[in-house]
């Protein structure tokens, strides 16, 4: 298939492109390189440096005969979305609508959208949280992702667009940048390696569901190949607190850092953990990489980059 991957030079996107090419798909990468990195671009892919808001995207997708879309490009910094909700909406709502319109123009048979399980449910006592739970995002970032889920439903009803939404938990792994929902992993690794000051926000008991990027890539390809319409959580159903993440990275890097704590980040979500059983039912997916093994691989990748 000819697959367009938006954000294909980024963290999750570049791994997804690598997997698509490894199995024999043709890939068109669309990335503006604001957070993506040129060195992550697979040389076997067709790369176009373009913003997803560019009207020329529709003609490009049509000319290239795009058959499927994996839409990963986004403004991913939750704190930036709080500081500038208008910019966040321009990138994540208007940009995503342009990508959907491009898929329609090309006659694409399948559209996979990267949404958020970490920010869309908000703090809830129902954990692991199923897809049927009330969505009450407490950041503009989460709101934009939820909005596009609803737009995709509209496009399916009105235009017959076949789509799948993957609500990611907190994704971490090699090539990670510090701006996403699991940015703490990259931040801790980088600061330990550089010998920089490092403090855990608050008491460190805030929990997240950390899912390894390799597992997320498998979910992207499984969603692309499947034919169901709807939403699936992609996570591990396991809560891990920030203190544990600190110690796993500290041990993997043999950094010898002491645990220290700083002020609480105002408005920070306290808990997040998603139920992945629907993904298993609909597309045969389940998480495979343990947190200990995933953190080890990630920490060693950062160490290799630092040398």
């Amino acid at each position: 298939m000819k697959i367009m991957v938006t954000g294909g030079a980024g963290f999750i996107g570049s791994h997804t492109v690598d997997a698509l090419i490894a199995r024999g798909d043709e890939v068109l990468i669309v990335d503006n390189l604001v957070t993506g990195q040129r060195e992550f671009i697979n040389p076997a892919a067709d790369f176009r440096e373009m913003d997803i808001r560019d009207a020329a995207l529709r003609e490009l997708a049509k000319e290239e005969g795009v058959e499927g879309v994996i839409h990963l490009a986004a403004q991913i910094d939750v704190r930036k979305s709080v500081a500038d909700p208008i910019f966040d909406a321009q990138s994540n709502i208007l940009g995503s609508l342009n990508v959907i319109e491009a898929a329609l123009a090309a006659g694409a048979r399948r559209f996979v959208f990267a949404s958020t399980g970490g920010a869309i449910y908000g703090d809830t006592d129902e954990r692991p949280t199923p897809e049927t739970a009330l969505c009450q995002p407490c950041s503009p970032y989460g709101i934009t992702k939820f909005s596009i889920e609803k737009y995709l439903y509209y496009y399916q009803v009105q235009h017959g667009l076949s789509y799948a939404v993957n609500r990611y938990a907190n994704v971490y792994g090699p090539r990670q940048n510090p701006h996403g929902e699991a940015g703490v992993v990259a931040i801790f690794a980088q600061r330990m390696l550089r010998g920089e000051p490092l403090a855990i926000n608050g008491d460190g008991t805030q929990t997240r569901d950390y899912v390894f990027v390799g597992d997320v890539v498998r979910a992207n390809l499984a969603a692309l190949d499947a034919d169901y319409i709807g939403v699936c959580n992609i996570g591990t159903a396991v809560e891990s607190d920030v203190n544990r993440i600190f110690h796993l990275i500290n041990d993997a890097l043999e950094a010898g850092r002491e645990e220290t704590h700083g002020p609480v980040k105002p408005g920070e979500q306290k808990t997040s953990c998603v139920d992945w059983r629907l993904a298993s039912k609909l597309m045969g997916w389940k998480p495979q990489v343990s947190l200990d093994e995933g953190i080890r691989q990630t920490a060693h990748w950062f160490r290799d980059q630092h040398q």
Side-chain angles (χ1 to χ4, degrees):
M1 289 178 65
K2 182 67 171 286
I3 311 300
M4 181 169 74
V5 180
T6 68
F11 165 41
I12 301 171
S14 63
H15 285 289
T16 299
V17 169
D18 290 349
L20 287 167
I21 288 173
R23 74 175 196 174
D25 289 312
E26 292 183 76
V27 179
L28 170 65
I29 295 173
V30 174
D31 198 302
N32 63 7
L33 298 182
V34 170
T35 56
Q37 298 187 48
R38 197 174 292 275
E39 58 265 33
F40 293 166
I41 297 172
N42 191 307
D46 180 6
F47 170 63
R48 306 298 176 91
E49 187 173 347
M50 178 185 288
D51 193 286
I52 58 172
R53 294 169 291 180
D54 192 329
L57 181 64
R58 303 179 199 183
E59 192 60 34
L60 173 65
K62 187 176 179 180
E63 289 177 354
E64 292 295 323
V66 168
E67 299 170 86
V69 176
I70 300 179
H71 178 35
L72 297 161
Q75 191 296 111
I76 62 170
D77 191 330
V78 174
R79 292 170 189 166
K80 187 171 184 178
S81 81
V82 172
D84 193 349
I86 293 175
F87 174 75
D88 189 68
Q90 289 171 338
S91 298
N92 292 354
I93 295 181
L94 297 182
S96 293
L97 289 177
N98 196 42
V99 176
I100 295 171
E101 289 285 348
L104 286 181
R109 71 157 191 83
R110 188 69 165 164
F111 192 101
V112 177
F113 176 57
S115 189
T116 171
I120 211 165
Y121 298 115
D123 279 308
T124 175
D125 292 331
E126 188 178 8
R127 299 191 309 276
T129 309
E131 293 83 354
T132 53
L134 178 66
C135 292
Q136 42 191 7
C138 53
S139 68
Y141 168 77
I143 293 168
T144 62
K145 290 292 189 178
F146 191 44
S147 297
I148 296 304
E149 292 186 10
K150 297 305 181 185
Y151 271 112
L152 283 168
Y153 175 76
Y154 157 77
Y155 276 94
Q156 194 277 323
V157 171
Q158 294 298 324
H159 300 283
L161 180 64
S162 175
Y163 76 90
V165 172
N166 282 342
R167 287 179 179 167
Y168 303 153
N170 293 65
V171 188
Y172 72 97
R175 305 180 190 168
Q176 184 181 357
N177 67 53
H179 303 299
E181 293 173 50
V184 65
V185 176
I187 291 169
F188 283 177
Q190 288 174 346
R191 291 185 179 174
M192 286 180 189
L193 288 164
R194 295 169 183 168
E196 296 174 349
L198 169 57
I200 298 167
N201 296 334
D203 62 9
T205 59
Q206 57 271 36
T207 64
R208 297 291 184 268
D209 182 345
Y210 294 91
V211 60
F212 188 64
V213 67
D215 284 338
V216 170
V217 168
R218 289 191 302 103
N220 289 341
L221 272 59
L224 181 70
D225 295 339
D227 57 7
Y228 68 90
I229 305 293
V231 176
C232 285
N233 289 330
I234 305 300
T236 69
V238 176
E239 292 185 58
S240 301
D241 66 29
V242 179
N243 292 328
R244 184 181 180 207
I245 298 301
F246 170 87
H247 287 290
L248 285 174
I249 298 171
N250 196 30
D251 291 345
L253 293 175
E254 300 179 339
R257 300 292 289 267
E258 294 294 325
E259 180 182 319
T260 59
H261 295 263
V264 176
K265 285 286 183 182
E268 183 176 19
Q269 194 168 315
K270 182 65 177 174
T271 58
S272 177
C273 182
V274 299
D275 186 339
W276 52 266
R277 288 177 295 178
L278 184 61
S280 177
K281 179 181 178 181
L282 293 181
M283 56 179 173
W285 179 90
K286 64 179 181 179
Q288 294 181 350
V289 180
S290 69
L291 183 63
D292 288 36
E293 173 59 21
I295 290 290
R296 185 191 68 80
Q297 289 187 34
T298 306
H300 290 179
W301 182 85
F302 277 104
R303 182 191 61 195
D304 293 344
Q305 301 304 303
H306 181 72
Q307 291 174 347

